[in-house]
Amino acid sequence: MPIEDIQEFISELEKNGELKRVKTQVDSNLEIAEIMRREMYSNGPAILFEDVKDYDMPVLGNAFGSMKRLEIGLEMTDFTEIGQRIADMTKMDVPSGLLNKIKKLPELSKMTASFPKSEVSGPVTETTSTDASFDDLPILKSWPNDAGRFITLGLVATKHPETGVRNLGVYRMQIVDKTHALMHWQKHKRGAHHGDISKDKGEKIPTAIIIGGEPATVFSSIAPVPEGLDKYLFAGITRKEGIKTVKCKTIDLDVPANAEIVLEGYVDPADIRDEGPFGDHTGYYTPVEPYPTFTLTGIMRRKNPIYVTTVVGKPILEDAYIGKVIERSFLPLIQMFHPEVVDFSMPAAGWFQGFAIISIKKRYPGQAKKVMMGLWGMGQLSLTKMFVVVDEDINVHDINDVIWAITTRADAARDTTIINNAPTDTLDPASPLVNLGSKMGIDATQKTKEEGYEREIQQQVKVDEETKNLVDSKWSDYGL
C-alpha cells in the first residue's frame, strides 16, 4: 500500500534512520532555516522540530532532501517508471468488441485505479473554522533580508476556470497580515494562467493552500506535467492508486483528504501588491515585484497537524533532489517526442532551469540543433537557459565527460547557437529584463562531412581487448 499521509511518511523515515527529532526549543524566525540549511548542505536527515517557540505545532523540514527519502516516499527506485506509465497510457488502444474489451480490462483497471476518489470527510476535516489566521502557523522567515515570513512548501490548488482541470503548484507566499498573503505565481506557471483567465472575466479565483500532502501529491505539485493533465490524476499515476479528496468548506475546490492543513481562500488578480525580496534557489535575493493577493477565508486541519516546510538558497539544497526525480520521471515523455534522445540531465548547480545536457543517437546532420529547438518548445523546458547536446557515448551525469565532449567536439563559432528575446525564468538573476533574455545551445556531438567538417575524424584512444582481459585476470596479483 502506498504511503497515505505525511505522518506515515515520518514513521517510515524514522524506521530507515532518515529522520532526527529536535526537542530543544527553536525559533521559526531564522533559527529553524539555518539549522535546516546546515543539515541539507551536509547531506543530513529530515528534521522534526518538536518545540517551536510560540506555537504548539511541530515543524518538519528536509523531508525530501535525499534520493533515499524520495525512494521511500514514492516507493520506487527507478523514477522513469512514472513517465513510462503516462507514455503507456497515451499508446493504449481503445478496444472494440466484447472479447477485446475483456482482454483489455487489466490494463484499463490500472488506469482507472489512478483516478482520485471523492470522500465526505477525512483527517484534514477534523477541525474546521472560518476564523482562520496565518499567525496560528509556524511559518518561517528564512533569510535576514527576506521581506517577512514565507510559506515555501504550500501546494497551491486551483482549477482552470473554463475546463475545470485541477492544478497543484508550489508557489511561495509572503505573509502580509493575519488573513492576507502575496501569491508569487510566476507568469509562465499554470496557476498564474488560471489567475489571468479569471482576471479577464473580472473574477477572483478560488485557491487552497495544502500543507503536508503525502509524498506523491507533493511531487505532483512540483512536476511540470503535460498541459491538460489533472494533477490529482498524476499523483495517482505516481503512486499507482488514486488519492482521496474532500470538498473545501468556504470555496468550491477539492483537496487531499489526508493533508495536514488546508488554507482556503481566493486570489484577487486586481489586488496587486509589492512582494519580496526573498532569498531564492538561485542563491540570490529576488527583488521586489508586483504579485496578486490571497485572502484567507477558512481553514481545515487535523487535530494535531504537522507544519511541513522547506528552505531554498544557493544549490545544492532539498529542492535539488525533487528536481532529480522530475528529470528521471520525464525522460520517457521527452523520448516520446524525440526518440533520438538517450539520456537527459539538469545538474542541480544550475538550479534545474538554467542548464541541461542531452545525449542523442545521432543519425543525420543538424540533429543536435533539431533536438534543442524541440525541447525549447516543450512546456517548462522553454525556460531553460542553456542546452548542451552530446553523443550517446557521453555520460550526461558525469560533468567531466560532458566538458571533455564540449572541448573536443564543439567549435565555438560553428557549434554555438544564441537565441535573443526569448522567454526566461522569472527568477533568472542574469537576464537583462524580467522574463525575457537569451538562450544558448552548444552542439557537442561529433561533426560529420555533411556538417562541413572536412578533417579526418581522429580516433579515440581505447585499450585493446587482449590487454584489458590480461590485466583483468591478473589484477589480484598486482597487490594494488
Side-chain angles (χ1 to χ4, degrees):
M1 294 290 290
I3 290 173
E4 289 295 334
D5 58 27
I6 209 73
Q7 304 206 20
E8 186 181 337
F9 183 41
I10 288 171
S11 297
E12 290 300 314
L13 292 179
E14 205 155 24
K15 285 179 193 174
N16 287 272
E18 289 285 325
L19 179 132
K20 291 284 182 69
R21 294 174 182 266
V22 173
K23 300 184 182 298
T24 303
Q25 187 177 88
V26 291
D27 198 326
S28 60
N29 180 37
L30 299 177
E31 184 181 2
I32 289 178
E34 175 61 8
I35 296 168
M36 287 172 59
R37 282 192 297 268
R38 291 188 187 192
E39 287 299 304
M40 290 176 186
Y41 282 130
S42 61
N43 300 312
I47 309 171
L48 186 64
F49 298 96
E50 296 184 331
D51 185 359
V52 181
K53 183 182 177 183
D54 298 327
Y55 298 96
D56 59 359
M57 193 180 299
V59 170
L60 177 66
N62 202 25
F64 305 100
S66 74
M67 298 309 291
K68 175 67 174 176
R69 267 163 257 161
L70 284 158
E71 288 172 1
I72 293 169
L74 300 177
E75 297 182 291
M76 66 183 76
T77 55
D78 181 4
F79 299 111
T80 60
E81 284 181 28
I82 299 169
Q84 194 58 55
R85 287 172 204 158
I86 298 174
D88 291 344
M89 285 180 180
T90 63
K91 297 172 187 173
M92 190 179 293
D93 296 326
V94 178
S96 61
L98 180 60
L99 182 60
N100 287 332
K101 286 178 180 176
I102 291 171
K103 288 179 179 177
K104 279 283 185 181
L105 277 176
E107 291 179 57
L108 293 171
S109 65
K110 287 179 186 177
M111 184 166 73
T112 56
S114 299
F115 281 90
K117 302 169 179 63
S118 181
E119 304 282 342
V120 175
S121 62
V124 78
T125 63
E126 289 175 349
T127 302
T128 64
S129 174
T130 55
D131 184 24
S133 171
F134 288 120
D135 290 346
D136 296 333
L137 304 178
I139 300 168
L140 305 190
K141 181 176 180 180
S142 298
W143 294 99
N145 292 333
D146 282 354
R149 299 183 299 146
F150 284 81
I151 296 174
T152 53
L153 198 53
L155 317 183
V156 179
T158 56
K159 63 182 177 181
H160 193 291
E162 294 169 349
T163 67
V165 173
R166 293 170 294 193
N167 185 61
L168 292 172
V170 176
Y171 318 120
R172 74 179 189 239
M173 296 176 64
Q174 178 184 326
I175 306 305
V176 177
D177 56 37
K178 291 182 177 181
T179 57
H180 296 94
L182 303 180
M183 181 66 72
H184 190 275
W185 49 31
Q186 299 159 39
K187 192 68 178 173
H188 311 100
K189 304 297 184 182
R190 210 157 292 171
H193 178 52
H194 293 177
D196 286 344
I197 296 172
S198 296
K199 184 177 182 180
D200 291 342
K201 294 174 176 286
E203 299 172 352
K204 300 166 184 175
I205 183 164
T207 307
I209 317 304
I210 299 145
I211 307 291
E214 49 76 39
T217 303
V218 174
F219 169 71
S220 300
S221 303
I222 300 170
V225 306
E227 182 70 42
L229 177 58
D230 188 292
K231 282 287 189 94
Y232 291 179
L233 172 56
F234 183 76
I237 293 170
T238 299
R239 70 202 296 266
K240 295 193 281 190
E241 183 178 310
I243 67 168
K244 297 173 183 176
T245 64
V246 293
K247 290 284 185 185
C248 287
K249 304 300 182 184
T250 63
I251 54 174
D252 181 22
L253 281 181
D254 303 313
V255 291
N258 294 336
E260 298 294 302
I261 304 162
V262 171
L263 303 168
E264 303 177 10
Y266 59 85
V267 172
D268 185 353
D271 184 359
I272 304 296
R273 310 187 196 186
D274 283 343
E275 190 265 6
F278 175 75
D280 222 319
H281 68 276
T282 59
Y284 293 89
Y285 284 100
T286 48
V288 175
E289 292 172 337
Y291 278 94
T293 303
F294 171 85
T295 298
L296 184 64
T297 59
I299 187 169
M300 299 192 298
R301 47 165 280 186
R302 293 174 182 246
K303 287 180 181 176
N304 298 296
I306 293 170
Y307 182 77
V308 185
T309 189
T310 190
V311 296
V312 294
K314 185 178 179 180
I316 298 173
L317 292 171
E318 181 178 9
D319 55 334
Y321 299 96
I322 299 174
K324 183 56 68 173
V325 176
I326 291 172
E327 170 203 291
R328 294 293 85 203
S329 61
F330 280 81
L331 176 61
L333 298 179
I334 290 172
Q335 292 170 326
M336 273 183 63
F337 296 98
H338 303 281
E340 62 267 67
V341 171
V342 175
D343 207 350
F344 178 76
S345 173
M346 301 187 84
W351 42 278
F352 285 94
Q353 206 73 288
F355 184 65
I357 307 156
I358 309 102
S359 61
I360 64 170
K361 188 169 186 177
K362 187 174 174 179
R363 296 185 295 106
Y364 54 83
Q367 193 169 6
K369 188 173 288 187
K370 172 261 184 187
V371 169
M372 289 178 205
M373 298 302 176
L375 294 181
W376 271 321
M378 283 185 67
Q380 289 297 309
L381 288 174
S382 66
L383 303 179
T384 307
K385 283 178 69 169
M386 302 176 192
F387 282 142
V388 174
V389 182
V390 296
D391 293 295
E392 63 180 317
D393 64 325
I394 300 300
N395 179 1
V396 297
H397 306 288
D398 181 350
I399 197 65
N400 291 323
D401 209 20
V402 173
I403 291 170
W404 177 78
I406 293 172
T407 55
T408 61
R409 299 180 184 180
D411 175 75
R414 180 193 62 206
D415 298 324
T416 303
T417 299
I418 302 293
I419 300 175
N420 290 312
N421 297 318
T424 59
D425 191 303
T426 304
L427 303 180
D428 181 3
S431 63
L433 298 171
V434 176
N435 296 320
L436 192 68
S438 61
K439 299 186 181 301
M440 179 172 71
I442 298 175
D443 178 356
T445 60
Q446 178 61 60
K447 302 307 173 298
T448 63
K449 288 185 178 180
E450 293 90 344
E451 293 171 306
Y453 189 76
E454 298 296 335
R455 298 172 59 187
E456 180 183 347
I457 296 175
Q458 296 178 23
Q459 183 180 2
Q460 284 191 50
V461 290
K462 293 183 178 179
V463 67
D464 62 282
E465 283 299 310
E466 184 178 352
T467 304
K468 180 180 180 298
N469 292 336
L470 171 67
V471 173
D472 283 347
S473 67
K474 295 177 63 178
W475 188 258
S476 59
D477 298 333
Y478 298 145
L480 297 174

